Amino acid sequence: MTKLSTRERVLWYVAAAVIMLYALFPVAWIVSLSLKAPNDLTNQQFLPTDVSFENYEQILLGDARDLFLPALRNSVVVAGLATLLAVVLATFCAYAIARLDFPGKKLILASALGVSIFPVISLVTPLFNVWRTIGLYDTIPGLVIPYMALTLPLSIWVLSAFFREIPWELEQAAQMDGATTWQAFRRVIVPLAAPGVFTTAIIAFFIAWNDFVFGISLTSTNAARPVPAALAFFTGESQFVEPTGAVSAAAVVVTVPVVVLVLVFQRRIVSGLTSGAVKG
């Protein structure tokens, strides 16, 4: 391994600092806006003149509570269900793809990859018409199903790579000791693939949590509308007042679960992304 010189290390540190500032500046700006009082929002300074939690009180206890809190609950339920169902189904599908030889296996993987990069906006109009016809419009299942169309293909693609890295001999040894195929899968394969499963669940949750197109197109009331869509319906005290502070405070609150998940489970996420299931 080539050792970096002092100048090269300094350049790497400077480049890393620039990238971090570039990535974190918008977040810091939103936090700053959320801490400004309504009469201080026109202030062009980065930091608020006086720190105020009025915007947070507005979305949690004030006029915007009836719009924000139901949307936050809907986001938790919809993203959680979509992630759970996608990971469970993708685990079985990826295991079959990695362990079994059958015609069309490569086609399934290619289709999963193609669906995961398919433009979401092209699905909205037909889904809107179908959902209105069968009664799924503006419902929790009506969002979970489209979210699974976003999370399931990517989950299959990622998990199949993890299952391929698990030595086949471990499962064969469990079966020779008397374990059934299901017992070998549940007690041997799944624990070994836990880092990959966990990483996939985090990625799927982020995709479902951040979706805006489906959330605003397939809902019309607070019954199922998630937070990203609900932010578009925030209003100010009058038609001449922009709800900048309230939207910024809501954006900060919505970002907190994502940040907490990454900070708490960052070691497992990195482990899953870098090493897969096992090292061999």
Side-chain angles (χ1 to χ4, degrees):
M1 183 176 180
T2 304
K3 186 177 181 180
L4 298 177
S5 64
T6 302
R7 179 184 178 185
E8 290 174 333
R9 286 200 300 269
V10 171
L11 290 176
W12 276 110
Y13 290 146
V14 171
V18 171
I19 293 173
M20 289 183 62
L21 288 175
Y22 177 79
L24 294 177
F25 180 78
V27 179
W29 181 260
I30 293 177
V31 173
S32 176
L33 286 176
S34 70
L35 295 175
K36 289 184 177 181
N39 57 2
D40 195 26
L41 289 173
T42 56
N43 180 11
Q44 298 299 319
Q45 295 180 358
F46 177 77
L47 296 176
T49 304
D50 294 314
V51 175
S52 172
F53 294 96
E54 183 177 344
N55 296 315
Y56 292 95
E57 293 177 358
Q58 181 180 354
I59 64 172
L60 298 176
L61 303 173
D63 298 336
R65 175 185 59 184
D66 294 335
L67 179 62
F68 177 72
L69 293 183
L72 184 62
R73 179 200 61 211
N74 293 335
S75 286
V76 172
V77 173
V78 171
L81 287 176
T83 300
L84 177 63
L85 294 174
V87 170
V88 171
L89 295 177
T91 299
F92 291 114
C93 184
Y95 173 79
I97 291 174
R99 288 292 189 248
L100 304 178
D101 290 326
F102 56 90
K105 182 167 67 172
K106 293 183 179 179
L107 179 61
I108 293 176
L109 281 176
S111 300
L113 183 62
V115 171
S116 64
I117 62 176
F118 201 77
V120 176
I121 193 65
S122 62
L123 303 175
V124 170
T125 300
L127 271 179
F128 177 84
N129 295 328
V130 173
W131 267 210
R132 290 290 294 265
T133 303
I134 64 178
L136 286 178
Y137 181 76
D138 199 25
T139 63
I140 296 296
L143 281 182
V144 172
I145 296 173
Y147 283 0
M148 287 182 60
L150 300 177
T151 57
L152 183 57
L154 183 61
S155 299
I156 293 174
W157 180 268
V158 173
L159 280 177
S160 61
F162 283 102
F163 280 117
R164 281 196 296 265
E165 294 182 10
I166 299 178
W168 179 247
E169 291 78 9
L170 295 176
E171 187 174 1
Q172 290 178 326
Q175 293 176 345
M176 290 180 64
D177 289 338
T180 63
T181 303
W182 168 248
Q183 289 174 335
F185 171 78
R186 181 168 56 90
R187 298 181 180 180
V188 177
I189 301 301
V190 172
L192 290 175
V197 173
F198 190 84
T199 302
T200 304
I202 292 294
I203 296 174
F205 182 82
F206 288 169
I207 294 174
W209 183 264
N210 294 324
D211 174 75
F212 174 79
V213 177
F214 283 141
I216 201 169
S217 303
L218 301 180
T219 61
S220 59
T221 66
N222 292 336
R225 183 182 290 139
V227 170
L231 294 182
F233 294 90
F234 274 40
T235 58
E237 296 179 357
S238 68
Q239 60 178 337
F240 304 105
V241 178
E242 293 291 336
T244 305
V247 171
S248 300
V252 173
V253 173
V254 171
T255 307
V256 167
V258 178
V259 175
V260 170
L261 284 175
V262 173
L263 292 178
V264 173
F265 301 110
Q266 59 178 330
R267 185 171 300 178
R268 298 200 63 176
I269 295 174
V270 173
S271 175
L273 289 174
T274 55
S275 62
V278 294
K279 295 181 180 179

